[in-house]
Amino acid sequence: QKEVEQDPGPLSVPEGAIVSLNCTYSNSAFQYFMWYRQYSRKGPELLMYTYSSGNKEDGRFTAQVDKSSKYISLFIRDSQPSDSATYLCAPSPPGRRALTFGSGTRLQVQP
Amino acid sequence: GAVVSQHPSWVICKSGTSVKIECRSLDFQATTMFWYRQFPKQSLMLMATSNEGSKATYEQGVEKDKFLINHASLTLSTLTVTSAHPEDSSFYICSVPVGENIQYFGAGTRLSVL
């Protein structure tokens, strides 16, 4: 079993739709939960950062963590064509360690 | 977020040559940097941890003699792909950890070996 499993893409939605992106993980030591957005042939860009369980909202983006079920989600409201990218979840234990990424979900928002 | 400068963004080289990729942390001093590799339509895979003032730590299966890492200062790490071959063609990305767990990434370097 992979340490981080992410729903496969590609995911295609119309502009304005609500998008739900999800990951599951197996390591109970994970305490920090990051979502990165990666445009084609670019480095990942930090989108959301959450510590422990709960929700965090930033504009059109909401990150949700349920540590009891080891399930993390990213919701995008009013999706825009500029949101078209690959979204990578990256849960992490405490400490300055390298990140373990999910496989990424490729999102395409159709205008 | 922290600015991480990676250079070059794209390099094409002949098989057998060596290529150096630079990663600079412009906002923070970094005793540690990470190097990842990403093949098309795949996720990032950690190659090695670059440590300022000491040897890099390589992940299993990554040849340390092929991928030379030098962490010359608190703001610069370099990755040299020695005697590159077509199978080394990939997207190489560095990251700088900031605080407890956040990492900021460079823009990546696309290596094409002919």
Side-chain angles (χ1 to χ4, degrees):
Chain A
Q1 182 190 7
K2 288 184 181 178
E3 209 168 19
V4 182
E5 299 268 10
Q6 189 167 355
D7 283 357
L11 178 63
S12 183
V13 300
E15 183 175 354
I18 296 174
V19 176
S20 172
L21 305 167
N22 309 292
C23 286
T24 58
Y25 63 93
S26 58
N27 190 340
S28 298
F30 290 152
Q31 296 285 341
Y32 297 85
F33 303 90
M34 277 72 71
W35 282 95
Y36 285 84
R37 177 174 62 192
Q38 185 178 25
Y39 291 108
S40 181
R41 295 178 179 173
K42 298 290 184 184
E45 166 194 10
L46 181 65
L47 198 58
M48 296 286 286
Y49 166 76
T50 311
Y51 172 71
S52 197
S53 283
N55 293 355
K56 184 174 183 180
E57 188 174 321
D58 184 1
R60 297 184 294 110
F61 298 89
T62 300
Q64 194 171 78
V65 177
D66 182 347
K67 289 185 67 181
S68 62
S69 59
K70 298 187 175 68
Y71 195 83
I72 53 181
S73 302
L74 177 70
F75 299 97
I76 307 174
R77 290 185 301 281
D78 188 24
S79 56
Q80 303 294 310
S82 58
D83 295 328
S84 299
T86 297
Y87 291 81
L88 300 151
C89 63
S92 174
R96 287 194 167 192
R97 305 181 191 183
L99 296 176
T100 302
F101 286 93
S103 58
T105 300
R106 190 156 58 93
L107 172 67
Q108 185 71 35
V109 181
Q110 305 292 342
Chain B
V3 178
V4 180
S5 174
Q6 190 172 339
H7 179 81
S9 58
W10 190 11
V11 58
I12 302 173
C13 69
K14 291 183 179 178
S15 186
T17 60
S18 294
V19 174
K20 181 188 283 188
I21 302 169
E22 292 187 349
C23 180
R24 293 182 184 274
S25 174
L26 301 183
D27 292 342
F28 291 88
Q29 292 186 328
T31 56
T32 300
M33 293 186 185
F34 299 106
W35 286 96
Y36 295 82
R37 180 166 53 183
Q38 186 177 33
F39 290 106
K41 297 187 178 180
Q42 293 187 26
S43 192
L44 285 77
M45 296 300 293
L46 179 68
M47 295 177 66
T49 302
S50 175
N51 303 301
E52 192 268 337
S54 64
K55 290 182 181 180
T57 306
Y58 291 82
E59 295 300 296
Q60 192 173 10
V62 178
E63 300 174 57
K64 63 179 185 332
D65 294 330
K66 181 168 188 62
F67 299 100
L68 300 180
I69 290 173
N70 182 23
H71 201 132
S73 72
L74 289 172
T75 59
L76 174 64
S77 175
T78 60
L79 168 68
T80 301
V81 183
T82 63
S83 186
H85 287 92
E87 59 265 29
D88 298 323
S89 298
S90 189
F91 193 55
Y92 294 86
I93 313 172
C94 67
S95 75
V96 172
V98 175
E100 181 71 4
N101 282 81
I102 292 175
Q103 290 186 28
Y104 291 100
F105 287 82
T109 297
R110 187 151 69 104
L111 172 63
S112 298
V113 184
L114 304 178

